[in-house]
Amino acid sequence: MAAEDSRKKDDAEDSQKEELITGFEVGVRVFFAKYGSYLLLAAAFALLGWQIWNYFQKKHQVAVQEAWLDFEQAEQSPDDLPAKLQGVIADHDIKPVQAQAWLALGNYYVGTVALGVAPNVPGAKYDRTEQLNRAEDAYRHILDGFSDERVVAGAAHMGMGVVAEDQGNWDEARKQDEALTDSKSEFAGTACADQASDRGAKLKE
């Protein structure tokens, strides 16, 4: 009797399980019948989104390579370097490349002052004040718009210090050095900070 009761109990439990499984299968079928098209559409959109993201990633990589190539070619050109660097800045919306182009532009004008020659630009004449102003403008573009490019920003502070020193603006030169050498500065411990420290010591002499 006990064995029969146990068998009946087991049969009842098996029947309940079968009913639950059957109910679940029916529920799934109903769900997919009702919402299957939406699920397929969502999956299609997800795949499309990934393909678009992958496409733009590859496109960005190509754009970065082209920007660096144009920058390198501009630097190697002996004629009208400022115009070529400005062209790189205008043509490529790639911040590291633009920052490097501004730095090269500032260094170019500082170099013409150091050499005492006119820029290699059609019709240009040697004007020390104008060339220093243009160098300062290029460096300031970096500090105002590309401060997250730390290495280039550090070099821009160095350039601003050189320009200020050349203009006889000693307070500004010290300010630029301190921006690099301050222990709380993001540039602390960098090569630029070491150079600024050496220059600062000379300014105090």
Side-chain angles (χ1 to χ4, degrees):
M1 186 71 176
E4 185 177 350
D5 289 342
S6 177
R7 182 177 59 78
K8 288 181 180 180
K9 183 178 180 182
D10 290 342
D11 290 343
E13 289 177 353
D14 290 341
S15 178
Q16 287 177 347
K17 290 178 181 178
E18 288 178 0
E19 288 177 0
L20 287 172
I21 293 171
T22 301
F24 176 75
E25 290 176 345
V26 170
V28 169
R29 291 195 189 101
V30 171
F31 179 83
F32 275 100
K34 189 173 182 180
Y35 300 107
S37 297
Y38 294 104
L39 292 174
L40 289 173
L41 185 61
F45 277 135
L47 178 60
L48 179 61
W50 179 85
Q51 290 175 333
I52 291 174
W53 177 85
N54 192 46
Y55 166 77
F56 279 108
Q57 283 292 103
K58 290 180 179 178
K59 187 175 180 181
H60 179 70
Q61 290 174 358
V62 171
V64 169
Q65 291 173 354
E66 290 178 347
W68 280 118
L69 180 61
D70 283 357
F71 171 67
E72 290 172 2
Q73 290 176 342
E75 275 202 313
Q76 294 168 6
S77 174
D79 299 322
D80 203 356
L81 179 60
K84 288 183 170 61
L85 290 173
Q86 290 282 8
V88 171
I89 293 167
D91 294 343
H92 301 287
D93 190 18
I94 309 294
K95 291 192 71 173
V97 179
Q98 290 177 320
Q100 285 284 357
W102 279 116
L103 181 63
L105 191 59
N107 292 346
Y108 170 80
Y109 281 114
V110 166
T112 62
V113 171
L115 295 173
V117 297
N120 190 11
V121 178
K125 296 181 181 180
Y126 180 71
D127 186 325
R128 183 186 187 86
T129 300
E130 182 179 353
Q131 285 161 233
L132 286 173
N133 288 341
R134 289 184 176 183
E136 182 181 1
D137 179 69
Y139 295 136
R140 197 170 295 283
H141 265 91
I142 296 169
L143 299 179
D144 290 344
F146 304 91
S147 58
D148 53 333
E149 300 292 331
R150 193 174 71 134
V151 174
V152 180
H157 277 296
M158 285 291 297
M160 291 281 284
V162 169
V163 170
E165 186 178 350
D166 215 308
Q167 293 171 331
N169 189 346
W170 312 116
D171 289 340
E172 179 63 22
R174 291 189 188 92
K175 177 182 174 182
Q176 295 300 328
D177 287 341
E178 288 168 1
L180 294 168
T181 59
D182 190 297
S183 59
K184 297 180 181 178
S185 166
E186 61 179 320
F187 305 104
T190 64
C192 285
D194 293 339
Q195 293 176 25
S197 180
D198 292 342
R199 188 175 64 190
K202 292 178 181 178
L203 288 176
K204 292 177 181 178
E205 293 177 356

